[in-house]
Amino acid sequence: MVINDQALQPRPTNELLSEGVRTGAMTFRWYSPLFYLLTLLYFIALHFISFFISIHTTDIAATVVMSFGNILYGFFIFAYITVLLLIPESEGNKERRRLARKPFIRLIFPIFGTGFLFYILFLGGSLLFILPGLIVFVFFLLFPQVLTLEKKSAFSALKRSGVLVKGAFFKVALLYFIFLGTQAFFAIIVALYVSESAFYITGVIAAIAHILIIPFQAAVMSLLYFDLRSDYEAFDLEVLKYEAQQTIEFKKT
């Protein structure tokens, strides 16, 4: 697999970020044209739905839908890249995508359901005060990796994420919000120059921005998940290989 012993050792934040960016860049050769097409269609649809809601209801409702859609896409990619990283480096790009397809499809509904619960808890905390919402957001960020490798229920995955993040809250927050800040910058630029009624244009721009940013963020967060597990429990390459075998159906030799 792409993950080695070094990736399963606790590392400083800057080293983890650097390795995650390198890994994220490497993942681009694994994506098929279908990946880019689905991303494009996803964001055009999301921006159309948000625009439709803003016309018929309120801007707040449209913003909530847009926010959830953006976050949900990130969680899907977190899970997908985690699966891709479990596959041996010896596999070709086409075979890697084939091996990743089935486990990822199995994760779609769990990711959606847990992501929805995540967002409800985040909104609930934000309605009280902004800070509780942000704390909830950071504590539960690693649930896609937990669902991918540890096969837990929605509530258990969120709880497990909270346990892992508890001792490294600021490290997790910093690594996530570095990329979120970049996404926010793109969103502000687009909002200044493109009308929200041109949802097909904003959807295409959003798709491009996410394709360029999220794979790096996902790789960093996956490596962070491995880092935290190795720091807090007996987690080594043999354990990871076992969990990978439970996740992916490798050809028997």
Side-chain angles (χ1 to χ4, degrees):
M1 64 183 66
V2 176
I3 305 302
N4 53 34
D5 284 316
Q6 184 180 1
L8 302 181
Q9 300 295 325
R11 289 178 288 178
T13 303
N14 62 327
E15 186 178 329
L16 192 61
L17 177 61
S18 177
E19 180 63 25
V21 169
R22 286 195 294 271
T23 303
M26 179 176 61
T27 66
F28 280 91
R29 72 173 186 260
W30 300 336
Y31 308 141
S32 69
L34 181 61
F35 170 83
Y36 298 105
L37 177 61
L38 289 177
T39 297
L40 180 63
L41 294 176
Y42 178 93
F43 281 101
I44 290 177
L46 177 61
H47 281 245
F48 169 74
I49 293 170
S50 180
F51 174 64
F52 183 84
I53 291 174
S54 69
I55 292 176
H56 292 87
T57 57
T58 65
D59 288 340
I60 293 177
T63 300
V64 169
V65 170
M66 180 71 74
S67 174
F68 175 66
N70 287 331
I71 292 171
L72 184 64
Y73 175 83
F75 288 150
F76 281 135
I77 303 304
F78 283 13
Y80 185 55
I81 287 183
T82 300
V83 173
L84 288 172
L85 292 176
L86 298 177
I87 299 170
E89 287 187 274
S90 58
E91 299 291 353
N93 295 342
K94 186 176 181 179
E95 180 64 10
R96 182 179 297 274
R97 290 193 295 268
R98 187 195 69 79
L99 288 169
R101 190 178 304 124
K102 187 179 289 187
F104 176 70
I105 290 173
R106 287 198 299 262
L107 284 166
I108 289 176
F109 286 110
I111 292 290
F112 181 87
T114 312
F116 183 77
L117 178 59
F118 170 98
Y119 197 71
I120 293 298
L121 293 172
F122 165 62
L123 282 183
S126 299
L127 289 175
L128 296 174
F129 294 100
I130 294 177
L131 186 58
L134 290 175
I135 292 173
V136 167
F137 192 96
V138 174
F139 265 110
F140 296 152
L141 269 177
L142 298 180
F143 82 80
Q145 288 84 0
V146 174
L147 287 176
T148 301
L149 276 171
E150 302 183 47
K151 310 295 184 297
K152 294 184 179 293
S153 66
F155 283 102
S156 296
L158 293 174
K159 182 179 178 181
R160 169 66 165 160
S161 175
V163 170
L164 291 173
V165 172
K166 184 177 180 181
F169 179 87
F170 292 106
K171 182 178 183 178
V172 175
L174 175 62
L175 289 171
Y176 183 84
F177 286 113
I178 285 175
F179 297 96
L180 186 63
T182 307
Q183 291 175 256
F185 174 77
F186 271 99
I188 291 170
I189 296 299
V190 172
L192 288 175
Y193 293 100
V194 182
S195 170
E196 66 176 12
S197 62
F199 60 85
Y200 48 91
I201 297 177
T202 59
V204 170
I205 294 173
I208 293 172
H210 281 75
I211 287 171
L212 292 176
I213 296 170
I214 295 298
F216 295 101
Q217 184 184 48
V220 169
M221 298 307 289
S222 293
L223 293 181
L224 175 61
Y225 165 78
F226 297 136
D227 178 274
L228 294 178
R229 283 192 67 180
S230 65
D231 196 22
Y232 298 131
E233 60 190 58
F235 183 69
D236 57 20
L237 198 58
E238 292 305 313
V239 174
L240 181 58
K241 285 180 178 178
Y242 172 79
E243 293 181 353
Q245 290 171 352
Q246 304 306 305
T247 302
I248 302 168
E249 295 179 4
F250 295 105
K251 289 182 179 179
K252 294 182 178 180
T253 57

